[in-house]
Amino acid sequence: MGLLDGKVAFIFGVANHRSIAWGIAKELHAHGATIALSIFNEDLRRRVEPLAEEVGCDFIETCDVNNDDAIDAVFEKFKERYGQLDVLVHSIGFAPREALGGRFIDIKREDFKLTLESSAYSLVALAKRAEPLMSEGGSIMSMTYYAAEKYIPDYNAMAIAKSALEACTRYMAVDMGHKQIRVNAISAGPIKTLAAAGIPGFRGLLKHFDAVAPLGKTVTVEDVGKTAVYLASDLSRMVTGEIIYVDSGYQVLGITSPRDEM
Ligand code: NAD
């Protein structure tokens, strides 16, 4: 018996084999879930199709999460195919290049708005459409980062979006709690992905993280996927509104000197 036997998971945000969403898809599938995928646009299909095959998924539909009609359409297709939804995974983030790095105070209104819309409001927009399909209860999760709480160089607009995403998580957990729909976020340590490559100082950040994180290892997309299994399953049935760290222990540190210099 798999922990997720009989559950259907709708996962947004696979771009390639490095995507956190892909690590989640693999782990949810390994525990018995049926996987449905939504990708940003048709350009990604060529990369994503072979991955989808690995997890027995033939439902790959495009959706730009900044477009309400596209979101309605993709949930309509999902409903026609599966009827019921158990697990929604939002693993999406976007910020214009100009909104990452440099002085935060120079950020432009349009870039600020676009980052918040793409990376935080999109969770609300997806959850709103998922709610009626979760008539038996469900689990909604998104991916956040420590920059939501503390200053991290270069994250700028994305840091603000992650703060908003975490607040959205708490508000939706309360809104949907009486329907037994749980809403949580995973705060992952730095992982080399397409999105991460857009952060100017990411390489240095990863090096620093590796040197100081208590568990002494870089987080992988599979590590995040394993926590996603917990959040998707009944093992976390009384857990909602939480930010769960999958960060090799980094966020407990008050002083971040390399271990061998202490
Ligand atoms: P990724 O580039 O593989 O995934 C980002 C996804 O967002 C892509 O699939 C992209 O197509 C999608 N996307 C962007 N704009 C979209 C739109 N308008 N409509 C639909 N899809 C859109 O990178 P990732 O690192 O796997 O990012 C996934 C999530 O994890 C993001 O929220 C990111 O902020 C978060 N996260 C990443 C790290 C890290 O270090 N990589 C750490 C913590 C949290």
Side-chain angles (χ1 to χ4, degrees), residues 72-85:
D72 285 335
V74 82
F75 272 90
E76 202 44 54
K77 284 183 188 156
F78 178 90
K79 188 180 168 192
E80 270 169 32
R81 172 75 182 268
Y82 300 99
Q84 163 110 8
L85 175 59

Side-chain angles (χ1 to χ4, degrees), residues 88-109:
L88 173 71
V89 176
H90 172 288
S91 188
I92 287 173
F94 174 78
R97 191 163 292 277
E98 307 73 49
L100 301 168
R103 292 187 82 216
F104 173 74
I105 202 163
D106 292 333
I107 192 164
K108 299 217 164 45
R109 186 184 297 273

Side-chain angles (χ1 to χ4, degrees), residues 8-12 34 36-38 59 74-75 78 85 87-89:
V8 181
F10 197 7
I11 300 175
F12 287 70
T34 297
L37 298 177
S38 177
F59 184 98
V74 82
F75 272 90
F78 178 90
L85 175 59
V87 180
L88 173 71
V89 176

Side-chain angles (χ1 to χ4, degrees), residues 101-145:
R103 292 187 82 216
F104 173 74
I105 202 163
D106 292 333
I107 192 164
K108 299 217 164 45
R109 186 184 297 273
E110 283 313 310
D111 291 345
F112 189 105
K113 282 204 287 198
L114 179 58
T115 308
L116 264 141
E117 183 183 11
S118 313
S119 312
Y121 178 74
S122 58
L123 171 66
V124 184
L126 296 188
K128 177 91 182 142
R129 274 68 168 201
E131 188 179 19
L133 301 179
M134 290 183 158
S135 51
E136 308 282 305
S139 172
I140 297 174
M141 67 188 85
S142 68
M143 304 304 128
T144 184
Y145 181 57

Side-chain angles (χ1 to χ4, degrees), residues 213-236:
L215 292 176
K217 280 190 251 175
T218 309
V219 174
T220 66
V221 297
E222 290 78 14
D223 295 327
V224 179
K226 287 179 196 303
T227 293
V229 170
Y230 160 73
L231 284 178
S233 77
D234 282 353
L235 292 180
S236 59

Side-chain angles (χ1 to χ4, degrees), residues 50-66:
L51 299 175
E53 265 175 42
E54 282 182 40
V55 295
C57 163
D58 63 358
F59 184 98
I60 309 172
E61 295 294 341
T62 58
C63 174
D64 174 351
V65 296
N66 290 340

Side-chain angles (χ1 to χ4, degrees), residues 12-16 18-22 38-41 44 63-67 90-94 118-119 122 142-146 155 158 162 165 186-197 202 205-206 221:
F12 287 70
V14 178
N16 57 35
R18 292 182 191 276
S19 294
I20 292 176
W22 171 237
S38 177
I39 55 175
F40 187 6
N41 53 39
L44 297 174
C63 174
D64 174 351
V65 296
N66 290 340
N67 179 330
H90 172 288
S91 188
I92 287 173
F94 174 78
S118 313
S119 312
S122 58
S142 68
M143 304 304 128
T144 184
Y145 181 57
Y146 193 46
Y155 272 74
M158 191 53 91
K162 291 306 186 194
L165 185 82
I186 296 176
S187 186
I191 305 174
K192 233 162 122 186
T193 62
L194 209 58
F202 187 78
L205 184 89
L206 197 59
V221 297

